[in-house]
Amino acid sequence: MSSLFDLPFEDEPAPDNRPTDAGAPDGRQADAGAPLVGARNERTTTRPAERPRESGTGHRAPGTGFVERESERQEPRRPRTYTVSELTHAVRQSLEGTFGRVWVEGEIADCTPSQGNVYFTLKDGGAQVSAVLWRTDAARLRFKLTTGLHVLVKGRLSVYVPRGRYQLIVDSIEPKGAGARQLALDQLKKRLQAEGLFDPARKRALPMLPRRIGVVTSLDGAAVRDILRVLRTRRAPADIVIAPTRVQGEGASVDIARAIARVARVPDVDVIIVGRGGGSTEDLWAFNEETVARAVAAAPVPVIAAVGHEVDTTLADYVADVRAATPSQAAEIVVRQASDFRDRLAGAQRQMALLLGSRLDRQRTRLLRIEGRPGFAHYRDEIRHRDRLRVELTDRLAHAWRERTARRTRRLADLAARLDEQHPQRQLVTRVRRLTQIDDRLRSAMTTRRAAAHARLQASRERLARVGLDARVAQSGRRVDHLIGRGLAALTRTLHTGDRRVSSLSGQLDALSPLRTLARGYAICWDTPGQTVVRSVAGVSTGDRVHVQVSDGMLQCDVAATSPDSPPRP
């Protein structure tokens, strides 16, 4: 069922004045390469203005299906105004929505790595477009991007909004012409060559007689069997150390490098064979990795590379000290010098044997000739006598030597035993043992004495408990208190009696004291020296000086006259 807007227009279209392709049957084929959005708009603008199908209701706008009304035709709408950001975002959405992932071929220019990202320009003879390869995608790239490299890239178009510039976000890059892997290999080969890893001057000579031969290969392949077969057949005078590893597949290069480093650390390994059997280029690719090449170059001993067949050449072959066409040939190379050396040694031995035999024959002939002379008739008997004497002296010397050795051994043992007894450590042990014994005895004696004292104390306690000591002590205490009371009472009475007697004697003494007599007015006359009391007038003479003592002092008096008959005054 068709609608009104699907019906064909009756008016003739205006003539199309755009340039057309000469080979195209009509003018629409010339727009085949133009963007789809632009082609539709251009086709729409070339249509003539349509007249309304129904008056008063509107008509269909050319190419849009919009029906304009009469009033709207009289007042056209104002076009929308975009900001720069809105316009740029709209263009970006339109560009990203129109183009999916595209493949673009061109030449790289202005290649600039920055923080892992790679910014470059992709150009041809007539145009160019900015492109960027983000860091994660650049890390997976197997070759290095350089200016002038012709490539085929896959990516998506986008707009860098801050600058309003469209660019190509690249996901993957393939070199045009050679493959990416081959290009990466060529670039790696050039870099290693520039570093001097292929320099013949750094190639080391193989050892003539290797003590140990290291083999780095897979245990599942035929290479290890070929190498062992050749070494066994040629009777290689060396030990074989095999470092098994994967030789193809993802991560095999890292395993090979680790196996080379591991077998190189084995003592006395003088040469290493690294290789595998034949296969496709993909199978042998692990030996083209930089990891393997640098491991071969860093090996401390010479390395023989035997990868694939003779037509196969890898980076390991270039870096190795010797390249072998096959693993079997590598084993042949290792033992070849040893075989040559053994052959030369055997030839020298044969030549020396011939020369020695010829010389012995000449000496024997000369000896026989000398034996025939008269002076050497009894030399054999003399030789036998000297030989018996030599044997006898040898036996005596050996016996004397054994005797002397035995004596020295016994003396040495005795000195060792004495020295061992005098050793400070042994003496210290002895002293410690004696101190320990003394300490044990002392502890035992103390324990015994403490037990005896405890037993006596216990017996005393039991005996005291039996005699009632506490009651006797209390009785004695009361008796002591009674005696103390009696003693104190007797002492008090004695003191009172003494006081009364002292008072009585003091009174008597005071009554008889000459001082009391002097106080009553009497005096005592002493001679001049003051030593004798003058008791009579006959004891002094006129003119003598006497001393008269009164109650309150001494008088110095001169005797003027004496009168014996004068009565004393009352």
Side-chain angles (χ1 to χ4, degrees):
M1 183 177 182
S2 300
S3 64
L4 179 64
F5 301 109
D6 295 332
L7 296 177
F9 296 101
E10 297 178 355
D11 297 338
E12 289 295 332
D16 191 359
N17 297 326
R18 294 175 300 164
T20 58
D21 190 359
D26 52 19
R28 285 180 294 182
Q29 292 186 5
D31 300 332
L36 297 178
V37 176
R40 184 175 59 183
N41 293 338
E42 188 177 359
R43 187 180 304 114
T44 303
T45 53
T46 55
R47 288 182 179 277
E50 301 292 341
R51 60 184 176 86
R53 300 285 295 179
E54 296 179 2
S55 62
T57 59
H59 68 282
R60 180 181 179 182
T64 60
F66 175 72
V67 178
E68 294 181 351
R69 296 181 182 277
E70 189 67 26
S71 58
E72 292 176 351
R73 188 189 305 170
Q74 295 175 355
E75 296 178 359
R77 289 188 306 176
R78 187 176 180 179
R80 178 184 176 183
T81 303
Y82 291 90
T83 63
V84 176
S85 298
E86 291 174 347
L87 179 60
T88 306
H89 281 289
V91 172
R92 178 179 179 180
Q93 293 177 359
S94 176
L95 190 63
E96 293 179 352
T98 301
F99 294 92
R101 296 193 178 277
V102 296
W103 286 88
V104 183
E105 178 182 351
E107 180 182 339
I108 292 177
D110 300 333
C111 184
T112 306
S114 176
Q115 298 181 353
N117 308 320
V118 181
Y119 301 92
F120 59 95
T121 301
L122 195 65
K123 67 178 184 179
D124 56 11
Q128 63 180 15
V129 59
S130 299
V132 59
L133 181 66
W134 299 124
R135 178 170 50 192
T136 55
D137 297 326
R140 293 195 299 267
L141 203 63
R142 303 182 66 87
F143 60 92
K144 183 179 179 181
L145 293 181
T146 56
T147 300
L149 186 65
H150 198 75
V151 295
L152 183 62
V153 304
K154 185 182 72 171
R156 56 184 175 84
L157 287 176
S158 182
V159 174
Y160 183 56
V161 175
R163 295 188 177 180
R165 186 179 61 185
Y166 88 97
Q167 61 182 359
L168 185 61
I169 309 299
V170 179
D171 297 335
S172 63
I173 303 177
E174 291 290 340
K176 191 67 176 178
R181 175 170 289 187
Q182 185 60 40
L183 178 61
L185 177 61
D186 294 340
Q187 291 179 351
L188 177 60
K189 184 177 179 181
K190 291 180 180 178
R191 189 167 71 251
L192 297 179
Q193 188 173 10
E195 294 179 6
L197 268 64
F198 302 162
D199 191 358
R202 61 173 298 278
K203 306 292 183 182
R204 293 164 291 190
L206 298 179
M208 179 177 294
L209 296 173
R211 293 166 294 181
R212 285 181 176 173
I213 302 172
V215 179
V216 178
T217 185
S218 173
L219 294 180
D220 300 330
V224 64
R225 293 192 296 272
D226 294 341
I227 293 173
L228 294 178
R229 177 179 52 78
V230 173
L231 294 178
R232 185 170 55 252
T233 303
R234 295 302 186 93
R235 295 179 297 171
D239 298 331
I240 311 300
V241 180
I242 300 176
T245 179
R246 294 188 299 125
V247 292
Q248 68 181 50
E250 189 69 23
S253 59
V254 178
D255 293 347
I256 295 172
R258 290 176 179 172
I260 294 173
R262 188 168 63 250
V263 76
R265 290 196 295 269
V266 177
D268 298 336
V269 168
D270 295 326
V271 62
I272 299 174
I273 299 176
V274 181
R276 54 153 294 160
S280 63
T281 304
E282 295 294 332
D283 295 339
L284 306 180
W285 196 259
F287 295 91
N288 282 324
E289 297 288 347
E290 183 178 1
T291 305
V292 175
R294 294 198 178 278
V296 171
V301 297
V303 178
I304 302 175
V307 181
H309 299 297
E310 187 168 3
V311 296
D312 300 322
T313 303
T314 62
L315 286 181
D317 296 326
Y318 290 107
V319 180
D321 298 280
V322 176
R323 176 183 180 271
T326 61
S328 299
Q329 188 184 16
E332 293 280 356
I333 293 174
V334 170
V335 300
R336 181 186 304 163
Q337 298 190 67
S339 299
D340 297 342
F341 178 76
R342 286 200 302 269
D343 295 341
R344 291 198 302 270
L345 186 62
Q349 288 178 347
R350 288 192 297 271
Q351 187 175 3
M352 289 180 62
L354 293 174
L355 293 175
L356 186 59
S358 175
R359 185 168 185 177
L360 288 176
D361 292 339
R362 290 195 302 271
Q363 294 297 333
R364 187 179 298 109
T365 303
R366 183 181 178 186
L367 182 60
L368 292 174
R369 189 182 306 113
I370 294 174
E371 284 180 352
R373 296 179 182 176
F376 293 93
H378 303 287
Y379 80 97
R380 290 185 181 276
D381 296 336
E382 185 66 22
I383 290 175
R384 292 191 187 93
H385 173 71
R386 295 296 181 96
D387 187 64
R388 285 194 298 273
L389 183 60
R390 180 187 60 79
V391 172
E392 183 181 357
L393 292 176
T394 302
D395 294 341
R396 291 172 58 187
L397 181 61
H399 178 72
W401 176 257
R402 286 194 296 271
E403 290 293 333
R404 183 175 183 180
T405 302
R407 288 197 302 273
R408 294 296 180 90
T409 302
R410 288 193 296 272
R411 180 173 176 77
L412 182 60
D414 182 58
L415 292 176
R418 293 172 58 186
L419 181 61
D420 185 62
E421 291 177 356
Q422 299 298 328
H423 194 274
Q425 184 67 26
R426 180 173 291 279
Q427 292 186 5
L428 181 60
V429 172
T430 303
R431 296 293 179 87
V432 170
R433 186 182 298 112
R434 293 182 58 187
L435 288 176
T436 303
Q437 293 174 355
I438 293 172
D439 184 67
D440 293 340
R441 291 201 300 271
L442 181 60
R443 289 177 184 274
S444 178
M446 290 181 64
T447 302
T448 304
R449 296 189 65 179
R450 184 166 59 249
H454 182 72
R456 289 196 300 274
L457 179 61
Q458 189 65 24
S460 299
R461 286 177 178 176
E462 292 176 354
R463 188 168 58 253
L464 290 175
R466 287 195 299 272
V467 299
L469 181 61
D470 296 339
R472 296 182 63 180
V473 169
Q475 184 179 0
S476 300
R478 289 193 297 272
R479 185 177 179 183
V480 169
D481 293 339
H482 177 71
L483 293 176
I484 291 173
R486 292 180 60 185
L488 290 176
L491 181 61
T492 303
R493 287 194 302 272
T494 303
L495 290 177
H496 290 169
T497 302
D499 290 341
R500 287 194 299 272
R501 187 175 180 182
V502 168
S503 298
S504 176
L505 293 176
S506 297
Q508 294 176 8
L509 182 62
D510 184 64
L512 296 176
S513 174
L515 297 177
R516 190 174 184 89
T517 302
L518 292 176
R520 288 198 306 267
Y522 291 93
I524 299 174
C525 182
W526 299 83
D527 58 1
T528 299
Q531 296 180 349
T532 304
V533 177
V534 179
R535 298 179 181 277
S536 174
V537 295
V540 295
S541 301
T542 303
D544 294 339
R545 173 165 292 185
V546 296
H547 301 284
V548 178
Q549 180 179 3
V550 295
S551 61
D552 55 349
M554 186 70 75
L555 299 175
Q556 303 289 337
C557 301
D558 294 331
V559 179
T562 61
S563 54
D565 295 334
S566 300
R569 298 178 68 181

